[in-house]
């Protein structure tokens, strides 16, 4: 009582008593009593929470849930089996599945089986109605025969032993046996009644455990970790069932064969397997494509190890599932490196470029196909494009003009192999690259004006890092910009002209660019390429820019390739490569040829071309040129060169000055100099030694220097 007394203070002026200031609102003694229960509740809640969330508690909960679901699942499966065995539900499910798949012949067969099953069941039920009468007769007959037999046996024994008491001995023996059986049954019955339900429960648990009826979260870690497991039909069906698509889940549950009818045969395909899955009605292929990651996880694979494409069959997806870790293994060297005798044929051959996912060789035709390859930086774009250029160089009829707008030496091995080689990232290099492409336009227009049926040697222009050209801010003297995506852009318009008409006269353009956008890769340029290739990209919108909507809608997914890990892996949309029927693209793992090895292949190509070509590193100005000196330049180290090859090389060296030259122009310049064209083996040629003497004897010093 004294603990709760609050002292009062007397005011000396008024004589009244008041409470102290700190007790006017809440008595000090009341505060601890109110706080202590709240603290106790908090401690209790924290303790309960810790106990509930403890790993041991969660493990125990999973254990109880797992084995409980084994029993429930086993009961459900056993009951379903019993129901299927006693009714026609199994046949009805198979009929529905066959009708859903459009297989009406199979549906009719199952209907016939159902009819036979019902007839047999009717006969069994009719037999059961007569069973009691038959059972009584059988018991009566059996008892009479048994007793008669025992008596006959007793008589025989009595005669043998000469004792009448043996007549009933067999019957007494049977009675004693029955008594012993009853005694044993009474002893065993109690334990059997006690143990029997537990044995039945154990049997149901065993069925559930065998069928793995527990949910995934309740399974132990070692059972849930099935990464790298072999792909079987049940694994594929289960993976599709658990995608979270309700119509598919219901359809698979209703199928009598547990969904196996959905699948075609599982075929070994390279470093993985391939299987076609026919989707149930109400499930679209797009829904499955959008769940690629979940499907891969359900199959025990990483996302990059599962590819989903659409074959020709309707409502069907084709799954290619890699062996675990197989895509991280290298594919081996390129045939360009291993086969030193290899040559190329631009018109009828295909470049050995890599392997598809099935492990088959992937070869690409470049004949009259403009090419575009794009991807994020440092994914192997230059190496993939350079490998194609090296194969083209092994065809001595192909002329290469190359502009490398990165300029770090990736294309240096083409010096002496390409007729033009521009290397550098500056605006001046972009201007030179633009003039190179414009020179190709001039050559294209010259070829178009030639008589119909004229055959031309292939002219292939390559612009690596083309986004530098499209983004270049430089403006020419005519006030036209070099970069941009408008009709005033010189580079853009030159590319468009080649795309429009170049392939008809074998003037082909191949471009490589990074990180495609509408600014650094205009839409008209993208759509002008016949062969579109993409390495790893960041987004689906970039994938659509690189390959087009049709390829992406058909399953192409370069944006799902792993940046840095899938270097050299490309997705190709082109009729120049073998693509499985019904698909719009194919994924290829390209061979990697390093810079030093590429130089060795380039040297072989130079040897095939009978010497080193004089490579122009800039595009000459049309207003400043010396025809005789330029002719000597394009002759290079060769003793004599065909006049038509000289014309072609002059157009490459300076398209503005020589792009429209004909044999008459060449003859006009050389007539009277002593270096006129002459016949060698029935064909008109120009001799290097003759022209060198002419230039050496010219009075101006420029010619002498040119001759050197």
């Amino acid at each position: 009582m004294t603990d709760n007394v609050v002292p009062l203070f007397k005011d000396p002026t008024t004589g009244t008593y008041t409470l102290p200031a700190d007790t006017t609102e809440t008595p000090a003694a009341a505060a601890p009593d109110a706080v202590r229960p709240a603290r106790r509740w908090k401690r209790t809640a924290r303790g309960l929470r810790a106990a509930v969330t403890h790993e041991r508690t969660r493990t125990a909960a999973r254990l109880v849930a797992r084995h409980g679901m084994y029993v429930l699942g086993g009961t459900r499966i056993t009951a379903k089996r019993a129901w299927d065995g006693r009714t026609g539900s199994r046949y009805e499910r198979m009929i529905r599945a066959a009708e859903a798949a459009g297989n009406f012949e199979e549906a009719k067969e199952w209907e016939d089986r159902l009819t036979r099953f019902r007839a047999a069941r009717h006969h069994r039920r009719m037999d059961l109605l007569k069973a009691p009468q038959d059972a009584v007769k059988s018991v009566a007959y059996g008892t009479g025969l048994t007793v008669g037999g025992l008596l006959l046996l007793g008589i025989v024994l009595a005669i043998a032993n000469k004792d009448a008491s043996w007549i009933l001995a067999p019957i007494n023996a049977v009675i004693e046996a029955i008594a012993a059986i009853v005694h044993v049954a009474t002893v065993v019955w109690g334990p059997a009644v006690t143990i029997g339900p537990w044995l039945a429960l154990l049997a149901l648990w065993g069925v559930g455990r065998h069928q793995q009826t527990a949910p995934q979260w309740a399974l132990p870690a070692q059972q849930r970790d099935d990464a790298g497991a072999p792909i079987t039909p049940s694994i594929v069906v289960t993976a599709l069932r658990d995608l979270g698509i309700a119509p598919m889940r219901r359809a698979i549950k209703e199928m009598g064969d547990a969904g196996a009818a959905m699948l075609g045969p599982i075929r070994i395909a390279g470093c993985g397997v391939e299987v076609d899955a026919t989707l149930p009605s109400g499930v679209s292929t797009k829904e499955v494509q959008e769940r690629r990651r979940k499907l891969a996880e359900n199959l025990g694979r990483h996302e990059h190890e599962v590819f989903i494409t659409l074959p020709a069959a309707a409502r069907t997806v084709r799954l290619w599932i890699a062996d675990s870790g197989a895509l991280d293994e290298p594919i081996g060297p390129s045939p360009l490196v291993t086969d030193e005798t290899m040559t190329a044929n631009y018109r009828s051959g295909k470049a050995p470029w890599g392997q598809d996912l099935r492990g088959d060789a992937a070869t690409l035709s470049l004949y009259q196909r403009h090419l575009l390859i794009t991807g994020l930086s440092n994914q192997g774009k230059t190496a993939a494009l350079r490998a194609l250029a090296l194969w083209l160089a092994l065809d001595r009829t192909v002329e290469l003009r190359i502009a490398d707008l990165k300029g770090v030496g990736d294309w240096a091995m083409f010096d002496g192999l390409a007729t033009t080689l521009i290397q550098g990232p500056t605006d001046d290099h972009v201007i030179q690259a633009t003039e190179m492409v414009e020179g190709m336009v001039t050559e294209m227009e010259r070829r178009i004006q030639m008589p119909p049926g004229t055959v031309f040697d292939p002219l292939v222009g390559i612009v690596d890092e083309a986004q530098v050209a499209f983004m270049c801010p430089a403006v020419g003297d005519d006030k036209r910009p070099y970069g941009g995506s408008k009709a005033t852009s010189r580079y853009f318009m030159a590319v468009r002209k080649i795309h429009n008409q170049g392939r008809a006269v074998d003037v082909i353009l191949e471009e490589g660019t990074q990180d495609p956008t509408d600014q650094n890769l205009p839409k008209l340029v993208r759509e002008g390429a016949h062969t579109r290739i993409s390495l790893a990209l960041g987004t689906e919108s970039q994938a659509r820019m690189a390959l087009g909507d049709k390829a992406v809608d058909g399953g192409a997914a370069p944006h799902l390739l792993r940046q840095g890990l899938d270097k050299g892996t490309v997705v190709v949309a082109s009729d120049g490569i073998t693509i499985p029927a019904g698909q719009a693209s194919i994924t290829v793992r390209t061979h990697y040829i390093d810079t030093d090895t590429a130089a060795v292949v380039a040297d072989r190509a130079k040897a095939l071309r009978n010497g080193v070509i004089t490579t122009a590193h800039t595009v000459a100005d049309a207003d400043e040129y010396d025809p005789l000196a330029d002719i000597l330049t394009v002759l290079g180290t060769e003793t004599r060169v065909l006049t038509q090859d000289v014309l072609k090389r002059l157009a490459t060296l300076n398209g503005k000055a020589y792009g429209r030259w004909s044999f008459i122009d060449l003859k006009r310049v050389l007539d009277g100099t002593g270096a006129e064209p002459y016949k060698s083996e029935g064909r008109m040629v120009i001799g290097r030694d003759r022209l060198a003497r002419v230039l050496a004897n010219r009075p101006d010093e420029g010619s002498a220097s040119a001759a050197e």
Side-chain angles (χ1 to χ4, degrees):
M1 294 294 290
T2 57
D3 292 340
N4 295 330
V5 175
V6 180
L8 300 177
F9 294 89
K10 181 179 180 181
D11 188 345
T13 58
T14 61
T16 60
Y17 292 89
T18 61
L19 290 170
D22 57 349
T23 60
T24 55
E25 295 180 1
T26 304
D33 293 338
V35 171
R36 286 193 190 100
R39 290 178 178 174
R40 284 196 297 269
W41 278 110
K42 288 182 179 178
R43 286 196 298 270
T44 303
R46 283 197 297 268
L48 288 174
R49 180 181 178 183
V52 170
T53 58
H54 194 275
E55 183 60 31
R56 291 182 179 176
T57 305
R58 289 157 59 179
T59 302
R62 285 198 297 268
L63 179 68
V64 172
R66 179 167 68 252
H67 293 287
M69 292 304 297
Y70 283 163
V71 175
L72 293 177
T75 303
R76 176 178 55 82
I77 293 173
T78 303
K80 185 177 180 181
R81 290 175 179 173
W83 178 259
D84 286 345
R86 303 297 299 174
T87 67
S89 59
R90 175 184 301 171
Y91 300 95
E92 292 172 355
R93 284 199 306 272
M94 297 303 294
I95 291 170
R96 289 196 298 271
E99 289 176 346
N103 193 343
F104 298 105
E105 291 293 332
E106 184 177 354
K108 185 177 183 302
E109 180 181 349
W110 281 108
E111 187 175 0
D112 293 339
R113 292 184 182 181
L114 176 59
T115 302
R116 292 195 297 271
F117 169 80
R118 286 174 174 169
R121 184 179 61 183
H122 175 72
H123 287 301
R124 288 194 301 272
R125 289 176 177 175
M126 296 303 295
D127 291 340
L128 285 175
L129 295 177
K130 299 186 299 180
Q133 301 175 10
D134 295 339
V136 171
K137 292 180 180 180
S138 298
V139 170
Y141 292 151
T143 302
L145 290 174
T146 302
V147 172
L150 291 175
L151 287 174
L152 181 61
L153 178 61
I155 294 171
V156 173
L157 291 174
I159 295 173
N161 294 319
K162 299 179 180 180
D163 186 355
S165 62
W166 282 94
I167 296 175
L168 298 177
I171 296 177
N172 292 331
V174 171
I175 293 173
E176 291 175 359
I178 294 173
I181 293 172
V182 171
H183 178 72
V184 171
T186 55
V187 173
V188 175
W189 179 255
V193 171
T194 304
I195 298 174
W198 294 102
L199 293 176
L201 196 65
L202 181 62
L204 295 175
W205 175 86
V207 173
R209 183 175 180 275
H210 183 265
Q211 296 293 330
Q212 290 292 300
T213 57
Q216 289 294 316
W217 60 266
L219 295 176
Q222 60 269 23
Q223 291 188 26
R224 285 180 283 147
D225 184 14
D226 56 354
I231 300 300
T232 62
S234 61
I235 289 177
V236 177
V237 172
T238 302
L240 293 171
R241 183 197 66 193
D242 296 339
L243 276 183
I245 304 175
M248 180 180 290
R249 187 177 186 88
R250 287 195 301 269
I252 292 176
K253 282 187 174 181
E254 293 175 358
M255 291 182 184
D257 56 358
M262 293 174 54
L263 304 182
I266 296 180
R267 304 175 294 272
I268 296 177
C271 57
V273 296
E274 186 177 74
V275 59
D276 289 352
T278 303
L279 304 179
S281 178
V283 182
S284 69
T285 55
K286 186 176 181 181
E287 289 180 289
V288 177
Q289 287 180 306
E290 291 174 347
R291 290 168 170 81
R292 175 183 172 187
R293 171 173 292 184
K294 189 171 185 179
L295 177 62
E297 292 172 352
N298 291 347
L299 291 167
R301 297 293 190 271
H302 295 291
E303 184 179 11
H304 72 277
E305 294 176 330
V306 175
F307 288 81
I308 305 173
T309 55
L310 305 181
R315 230 175 59 235
T316 302
V317 293
R318 177 166 294 164
L319 308 179
W320 185 86
I321 307 160
D323 297 336
S324 186
L327 293 184
D328 296 326
E329 299 294 331
I331 64 172
S334 168
L336 293 175
V337 177
T338 58
D339 186 0
E340 296 183 357
T341 63
M342 177 176 286
T343 58
N345 190 313
Y346 162 79
R347 298 183 186 279
S348 61
K350 290 188 175 183
W353 204 28
Q355 292 180 1
D356 61 16
L357 295 178
R358 299 174 62 90
D360 299 329
T363 57
L364 181 66
S365 172
L366 302 175
Y367 176 61
Q368 292 188 347
R369 291 178 178 88
H370 302 302
L371 182 144
L372 171 66
I373 181 170
T374 185
L376 297 178
S377 177
N378 195 31
Q379 296 302 302
K381 169 180 55 62
T382 296
L385 182 58
R386 186 176 63 191
L388 297 176
L390 288 170
W391 180 79
L392 284 172
L394 294 175
D395 183 345
R396 58 185 301 175
T397 66
V398 175
E399 178 189 347
L400 296 172
R401 302 184 190 182
I402 301 173
D404 173 19
L405 298 182
K406 181 163 56 177
V408 294
D410 289 336
W411 296 84
M413 69 287 302
F414 285 88
D415 191 359
L417 187 56
T419 53
T420 301
L421 179 60
I422 299 166
Q423 301 181 88
T426 67
D427 290 350
D428 290 337
H429 293 99
V430 172
I431 292 172
Q432 295 172 10
T434 302
E435 292 175 347
M436 180 193 81
V437 179
E438 289 176 339
M440 295 176 62
V441 173
T442 302
E443 170 64 13
M444 175 190 73
E445 293 173 345
R446 183 189 70 83
R447 294 183 177 190
I448 291 174
Q449 297 174 26
M450 297 294 287
T454 304
V455 178
F456 305 101
D457 286 340
L459 171 59
V460 179
I462 299 173
V463 181
D464 195 13
E465 307 295 342
Q467 77 278 358
V468 178
F470 286 113
M471 301 294 287
C472 178
V475 179
D477 296 336
D478 56 357
K479 305 302 181 182
R480 293 179 59 196
Y482 286 91
S485 58
K486 297 182 179 179
T488 55
S489 168
R490 291 179 59 177
Y491 181 80
F492 172 76
M493 290 306 297
V495 170
R496 287 295 299 143
K497 288 179 180 178
I498 293 177
H499 280 179
N500 289 339
Q501 296 179 297
R503 65 182 300 272
V505 289
D506 282 321
V507 176
I508 304 301
L509 184 63
E510 299 179 356
E511 292 180 286
T513 183
Q514 290 183 13
D515 196 13
T517 64
D518 285 327
Q519 288 71 38
N520 62 25
L521 188 59
K523 184 174 186 292
L524 292 178
V525 174
R526 301 195 303 261
E527 294 181 348
H530 303 96
T531 297
R532 300 171 71 169
I533 306 166
S534 177
L535 293 102
L537 290 173
T539 64
E540 182 179 334
S541 62
Q542 289 180 328
R544 292 183 181 276
M545 290 182 185
L547 299 176
D549 292 337
K550 179 181 178 181
V552 175
D553 291 339
H559 54 289
L560 296 180
L561 294 174
R562 300 168 297 169
Q563 184 176 359
L565 297 177
D566 288 327
K567 283 187 177 181
T569 299
V570 299
V571 182
V572 186
S574 171
D575 61 349
I577 191 170
T578 302
I579 297 178
Q583 296 180 200
S585 65
I586 187 172
T587 301
V588 175
R589 303 172 68 199
T590 60
H591 296 293
Y592 175 65
I593 305 176
D594 60 44
T595 302
D596 294 337
T597 308
V600 175
V601 179
D603 289 340
R604 294 210 318 262
K606 293 172 185 177
L608 290 174
R609 292 171 181 256
N610 297 324
V612 177
I613 297 174
T614 301
T615 299
H617 295 276
T618 60
V619 180
D621 191 344
D623 296 332
E624 299 178 2
Y625 65 94
D626 182 349
L628 293 181
D630 289 343
I631 294 172
L632 183 62
T633 298
V634 300
L635 291 178
T637 59
E638 299 180 55
T639 304
R640 53 184 177 270
V641 178
L642 296 174
T643 53
Q644 61 183 16
D645 290 341
V646 172
L647 288 171
K648 181 174 65 174
R649 295 179 185 181
L650 285 172
T652 301
L653 181 66
N654 190 342
K656 294 181 180 179
Y658 306 116
R660 298 182 179 276
W661 268 33
S662 64
F663 176 74
I664 296 175
D665 298 310
L666 184 63
K667 186 175 182 300
R668 173 178 52 79
V669 170
L670 295 175
D671 278 349
T673 63
E676 296 85 351
Y678 63 94
K679 280 192 175 183
S680 175
E681 297 179 357
R683 305 183 70 181
M684 297 300 293
V685 299
I686 296 175
R688 186 183 186 282
D689 293 339
R690 296 183 183 185
L691 185 57
R693 285 196 298 269
V694 171
L695 289 172
N697 295 327
R698 278 204 317 189
D700 59 295
E701 297 178 358
S703 298
S705 62
E708 297 174 0

